């Protein structure tokens, strides 16, 4: 094993080691999820040197510099106010979802008008229109961190793979017998998983365009799915009230997470994938242990359905958004509530952290999106202007640009 | 409502739930009809750029009503919403005699759609509160409704503005669906 170079990852803080083993280049990451600006650098360096054989004494100086860089980045918390940068009359029918590429240089929008559009973030120019689906384009994704491909899932029951650079369609994946409503690339960008109203999830080969596996076992629609960070596991959330954990290689079900008393709305891994959070129409959020499949906590308090859940990048905080018009932030280890976000005048359908974990973004049927302080619950900003409900919202990786997508057929860039 | 509730509505697996598609030319009064069904305020209604969905309870049924914008450029997208439709409601501005032919053509095309084959159609001859409105029988004649053989159909004079006739129409469509289910 020979260390070739270091790569720095800001959010969540970490150092990626690129090394050579048996002639092939591999990477592994040292996660520093607990790193704070005030953390003692020497003790971190000592610990890494002790645990990581690739880090020899000659490398410790370099590691120390990298950690200081990460700390500097953590110190640099800007309390920025976002201004409306552009209104894009993006589509002739309502938008569904929006997504950024890793660098944030471009983003994509899906729509009821059967297209997905690729946009340049800096100028607001349309780069490509991905045409070919015969019904609503509902689920969309970049193959981050690479960002050279886009996958679209449609109510026409197919999934398509496109070049993000040219807009050319590489493959059309056929096999689902009902609407595709969720999808994701695996972290290596070699596999696409799609979840469908036909109750199955399918795995598709990015390179060859063929079906690799069909994951059947749910008794109702699959509406949420997510890979773990190695791509070995996939979780699927279903209207059958359960979440399934699948081995992506064998296609076998590893666990069924049983406990919710109504439909699942969202299922997410935390960063190290040790925990799974699930939101449900039963008004609760549950936290599960990935290895054992056991429920280790139930977060109650919402007065109506939980519509979305989200971890921060370090996995220490967990957000819930509800049809009762409020959202909450919990400590994902102690399960104690940290703050409540009260102010929206309609249900909150989407919630997320900025990559730094210092801001919470919510989208609501009251036609506004809002930013909140996760520690105090204070509303920092209200984004007004959409003339109909907001279906989707997201931060870019730097955390300095926000996209909102609305039923009013437009999307807005805020920065 | 959010994207998730859209998915719950396209499921439509609950026993006594009907999926109703509300179509017609722009300015026919579809959204006003939808809002009047849901007993909502109808004083500020703007052209529908996309769609509106409401669930209305009637005679023990949950009516999931999808109101789709009728402007010419978005009519090609009506297809997006055909799947699993139990009843088609087609709304006509009875006072807009100039576009009677156009609305007839759109309706004929809808009735030829494979995904809507056999789906009962309920035509609302709307805006009967206007003095220039054509009577329902003239509209039925103009649209050749009497030649429909492959499904149940009904025409109902109504005014979404005053609410007159709307209830009768809904009663008919629930009866038509009870027979089918």
């Amino acid at each position: 094993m020979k260390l070739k170079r270091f790569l720095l990852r800001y959010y969540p803080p970490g150092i990626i080691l690129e090394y050579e083993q048996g002639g092939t280049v591999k990477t592994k990451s040292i996660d520093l999820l607990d790193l704070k600006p005030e953390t003692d650098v020497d003790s971190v360096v000592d610990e890494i040197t002790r645990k990581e054989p690739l880090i020899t004494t000659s490398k410790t100086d370099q590691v120390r510099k990298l950690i200081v860089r990460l700390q500097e980045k953590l110190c640099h918390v800007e309390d920025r106010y976002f201004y409306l940068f552009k209104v894009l009359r993006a589509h002739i029918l309502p938008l569904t979802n929006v997504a950024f590429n890793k660098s944030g240089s471009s983003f994509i929008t899906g729509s009821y008008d059967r297209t997905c559009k690729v946009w340049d973030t800096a100028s607001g120019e349309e780069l490509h229109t991905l045409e070919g689906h015969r019904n609503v384009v509902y689920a969309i994704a970049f193959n981050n961190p690479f960002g050279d491909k886009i996958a679209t899932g449609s109510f026409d029951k197919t999934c398509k793979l496109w070049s993000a650079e040219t807009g050319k369609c590489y493959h059309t994946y056929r096999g689902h017998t009902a609407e595709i409503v969720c999808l994701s690339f695996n972290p290596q960008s070699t596999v696409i998983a799609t979840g469908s109203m036909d109750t199955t999830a399918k795995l598709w080969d990015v390179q060859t365009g063929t079906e690799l596996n069909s994951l059947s076992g749910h008794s109702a629609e699959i509406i949420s799915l997510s890979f773990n960070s190695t791509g070995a596991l996939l979780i699927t959330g279903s209207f059958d009230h359960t979440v399934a954990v699948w081995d992506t290689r064998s296609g076998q079900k590893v666990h069924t997470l049983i406990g919710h008393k109504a439909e699942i709305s969202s299922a997410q891994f935390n960063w190290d994938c040790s925990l799974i959070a699930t939101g449900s129409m039963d008004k609760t959020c549950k936290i599960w242990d990935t290895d054992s499949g056991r429920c280790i906590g139930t977060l109650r308090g919402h007065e109506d359905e939980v519509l979305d859940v989200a971890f921060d990048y370090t996995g220490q905080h967990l957000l819930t958004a509800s049809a009762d018009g409020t959202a909450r932030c919990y400590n994902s280890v102690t399960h104690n509530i940290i703050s409540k976000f009260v102010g929206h005048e309609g249900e909150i359908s989407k919630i997320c952290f900025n990559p730094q974990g210092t801001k919470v973004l919510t989208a609501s049927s009251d036609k506004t999106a809002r930013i909140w302080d996760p520690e105090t619950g204070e509303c920092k900003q209200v984004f007004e202007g959409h003339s109909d409900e907001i279906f989707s919202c997201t931060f870019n990786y730097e955390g300095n640009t926000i996209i909102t997508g609305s039923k009013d057929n437009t999307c807005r860039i805020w920065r | 409502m959010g994207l998730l509730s859209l998915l719950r509505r396209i499921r439509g697996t609950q026993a006594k739930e009907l999926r109703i598609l509300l179509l017609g030319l722009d300015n026919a009064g579809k959204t006003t009809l939808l809002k009047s069904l849901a007993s909502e305020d109808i004083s500020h209604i703007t052209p529908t750029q996309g769609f509106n969905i409401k669930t209305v309870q009637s005679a023990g049924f949950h009516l999931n009503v999808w109101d789709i914008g009728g402007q010419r450029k978005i009519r090609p997208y009506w297809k997006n919403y055909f799947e699993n439709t139990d009843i088609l409601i087609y709304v006509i501005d009875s006072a807009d005699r100039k576009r009677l032919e156009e609305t007839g053509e759109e309706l004929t095309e809808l009735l030829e759609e494979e995904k809507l084959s056999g789906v009962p159609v309920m035509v609302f001859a709307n805006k009967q509160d206007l003095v220039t409105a054509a009577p329902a029988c003239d509209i039925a004649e103009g649209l050749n409704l009497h030649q429909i053989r492959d499904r149940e159909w009904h025409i109902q004079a109504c005014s979404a503005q005053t609410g007159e006739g709307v209830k009768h129409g809904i009663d008919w469509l629930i009866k038509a669906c009870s027979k089918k289910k």
Side-chain angles (χ1 to χ4, degrees):
Chain A
M1 287 209 296
K2 186 165 172 285
L3 184 62
K4 296 197 63 160
R5 61 173 176 160
F6 294 105
L7 300 161
L8 205 53
R9 185 190 63 216
Y10 289 124
Y11 313 119
I15 299 169
I16 318 289
L17 310 178
E18 200 176 276
Y19 63 100
E20 212 178 81
Q21 190 178 32
T24 51
V25 177
K26 297 180 175 180
T27 60
K28 71 161 113 176
S29 103
I30 302 172
D31 294 340
L32 302 166
L33 304 186
D34 298 323
L35 189 72
K36 299 274 182 307
E38 62 274 13
T39 310
D40 177 47
V41 181
D42 289 327
S43 64
V44 178
V45 175
D46 285 350
E47 199 184 328
I48 293 175
T49 323
R50 198 151 27 84
K51 284 189 184 161
E52 182 47 66
L54 281 169
I55 308 292
T56 51
T57 28
S58 61
K59 305 282 187 203
T60 51
D61 267 354
Q62 241 179 312
V63 172
R64 180 175 290 105
K65 276 185 196 144
L66 292 173
I67 292 169
V68 171
R69 284 256 303 276
L70 288 173
Q71 284 185 317
E72 282 165 2
K73 194 81 179 175
L74 287 170
C75 283
H76 184 69
V77 178
E78 57 173 342
D79 202 12
R80 114 192 326 265
Y81 189 88
F82 289 85
Y83 292 92
L84 176 64
F85 170 60
K86 277 222 158 92
V87 180
L88 305 179
R89 314 234 164 258
H91 292 275
I92 64 167
L93 284 174
L95 271 70
T96 51
N97 285 295
V98 297
F100 272 110
N101 65 354
K102 168 90 189 267
S103 72
S105 61
S106 64
F107 66 93
I108 47 179
T109 53
S111 168
Y112 268 73
D113 71 10
R114 306 175 199 154
T115 68
C116 171
K117 294 196 181 207
V118 189
W119 304 87
D120 181 68
T121 315
S123 66
E125 304 262 331
E126 181 184 320
L127 298 174
H128 300 290
T129 297
L130 310 181
E131 276 177 290
H133 280 297
R134 289 156 185 237
N135 209 324
V136 182
V137 176
Y138 191 86
I140 54 177
F142 269 106
N143 65 331
N144 290 335
F146 312 102
D148 62 328
K149 296 186 185 74
I150 293 165
T152 53
S154 167
F155 283 5
D156 72 7
K157 306 167 190 173
T158 71
C159 169
K160 285 177 186 279
L161 179 71
W162 314 79
S163 159
E165 275 112 38
T166 66
K168 177 178 155 242
C169 180
Y170 291 126
H171 299 300
T172 299
Y173 301 100
R174 292 190 177 85
H176 279 298
T177 57
E179 294 88 347
I180 294 175
V181 299
C182 48
L183 60 77
S184 175
F185 283 94
N186 69 344
Q188 297 80 13
S189 184
T190 54
V191 175
I192 299 171
T194 53
S196 164
M197 300 294 272
D198 70 9
T199 77
T200 70
K202 287 180 186 286
L203 302 176
W204 313 90
D205 192 300
V206 166
Q207 196 63 45
T208 65
T210 54
E211 180 179 327
L212 297 170
N213 241 323
S214 190
L215 312 178
S216 43
H218 280 297
S219 60
E221 296 80 356
I222 292 175
I223 46 80
S224 174
L225 60 73
S226 172
F227 277 101
N228 72 345
S229 53
T230 65
L233 296 179
L234 181 80
I235 50 173
T236 52
S238 166
F239 278 167
D240 71 6
H241 307 184
T242 72
V243 172
V245 184
W246 308 85
D247 178 324
T248 54
R249 189 170 286 196
S250 67
Q252 296 297 306
K253 203 194 286 184
V254 183
H255 295 297
T256 305
L257 312 184
I258 300 173
H260 278 298
K261 297 188 177 70
E263 292 92 332
I264 302 296
S265 55
S266 178
Q268 308 286 338
F269 279 109
N270 66 346
W271 174 262
D272 67 10
C273 301
S274 58
L275 300 177
I276 297 166
T278 54
S280 166
M281 304 301 174
D282 70 7
K283 305 177 188 174
T284 72
C285 167
K286 284 180 186 284
I287 302 177
W288 311 76
D289 177 68
T290 306
D291 288 340
S292 68
R294 290 224 318 268
C295 178
I296 53 174
T298 301
L299 309 178
R300 297 170 215 278
H302 280 298
E303 288 161 14
D304 207 338
E305 298 163 345
V306 174
L307 300 175
D308 199 17
V309 296
F311 281 104
D312 66 354
Y313 259 2
T314 65
Q316 290 157 0
H317 294 82
L318 173 61
L319 300 171
T320 58
S322 168
D324 68 13
T326 71
R328 288 162 172 247
C329 179
Y330 292 91
N331 180 313
S332 55
V333 179
T334 64
H335 306 175
N336 290 328
I337 186 163
I338 295 168
S339 55
K340 280 186 208 177
F341 311 121
V342 181
H344 274 299
E345 288 160 18
E347 65 175 43
I348 304 176
S349 54
K350 282 277 159 66
I351 192 162
C352 62
F353 271 106
N354 64 347
Q356 297 78 2
T358 54
K359 293 188 181 91
V360 173
L361 178 63
T362 53
S364 165
S365 62
D366 71 5
K367 307 173 189 173
T368 71
R370 296 179 194 225
I371 289 186
W372 312 81
D373 182 323
E375 298 303 326
T376 64
E378 182 195 353
C379 180
K380 307 289 269 187
Q381 197 177 342
V382 180
F383 298 108
E384 288 176 312
H386 278 296
S387 62
D388 208 331
E389 58 185 290
I390 301 178
F391 279 160
S392 42
C393 60
T394 186
F395 276 103
N396 66 344
Y397 181 73
E398 274 296 321
N400 56 15
T401 309
I402 287 170
I403 306 289
T404 51
S406 165
K407 191 161 171 279
D408 71 9
N409 308 351
T410 73
C411 95
R412 287 172 180 247
I413 308 175
W414 313 79
R415 61 184 208 190
Chain B
M1 149 176 102
L3 286 174
L4 195 63
S5 51
L6 285 169
L7 298 185
R8 291 161 88 192
R9 307 225 190 182
I10 60 174
R11 266 178 107 183
T13 49
Q14 278 168 325
K16 294 187 93 182
E17 196 169 88
L18 295 180
R19 189 180 144 109
I20 299 175
L21 196 55
L22 194 56
L23 297 176
L25 302 191
D26 46 302
N27 200 38
K30 296 178 294 297
T31 305
T32 309
L33 185 72
L34 177 74
K35 294 212 167 189
S36 107
L37 277 175
S39 312
E40 287 179 20
D41 177 32
I42 53 169
S43 51
H44 303 291
I45 289 175
T46 53
T48 303
Q49 302 294 334
F51 55 85
N52 300 296
I53 314 170
K54 299 218 179 288
T55 303
V56 183
Q57 307 232 24
S58 186
F61 280 92
H62 288 275
L63 310 181
N64 256 331
V65 189
W66 292 62
D67 157 32
I68 317 298
Q71 290 161 57
R72 188 180 280 277
K73 67 165 186 185
I74 55 178
R75 279 180 222 158
Y77 298 92
W78 284 354
K79 281 187 175 63
N80 285 3
Y81 308 87
F82 289 168
E83 212 100 18
N84 304 318
T85 297
D86 292 308
I87 289 261
L88 172 64
I89 297 182
Y90 196 74
V91 185
I92 289 170
D93 176 350
S94 310
D96 187 2
R97 292 171 191 248
K98 266 190 250 155
R99 294 208 293 168
L100 191 61
E101 195 178 328
E102 185 183 342
T103 195
E105 281 164 11
E106 293 288 354
L107 179 61
T108 306
E109 272 184 44
L110 285 172
L111 298 182
E112 283 166 1
E113 286 288 345
E114 199 188 317
K115 280 184 179 160
L116 294 176
S117 71
V119 171
V121 59
M122 155 92 221
V123 178
F124 270 117
N126 191 24
K127 307 202 185 178
Q128 292 295 325
D129 53 309
L130 301 179
V131 286
T132 52
C137 54
D138 286 7
I139 288 173
E141 188 78 16
L143 299 182
N144 293 321
L145 294 182
H146 301 281
Q147 288 172 18
I148 297 176
R149 298 275 178 268
D150 58 346
R151 70 189 76 219
E152 287 198 72
W153 66 272
H154 181 73
I155 186 161
Q156 174 70 48
C158 81
S159 162
Q161 202 63 236
T162 65
E164 207 183 327
V166 174
K167 177 86 175 43
H168 282 295
I170 299 304
D171 289 347
W172 179 85
L173 68 84
I174 285 177
K175 228 179 280 166
C177 282
S178 315
K179 262 189 263 171
K180 256 184 95 184
K181 286 215 162 175

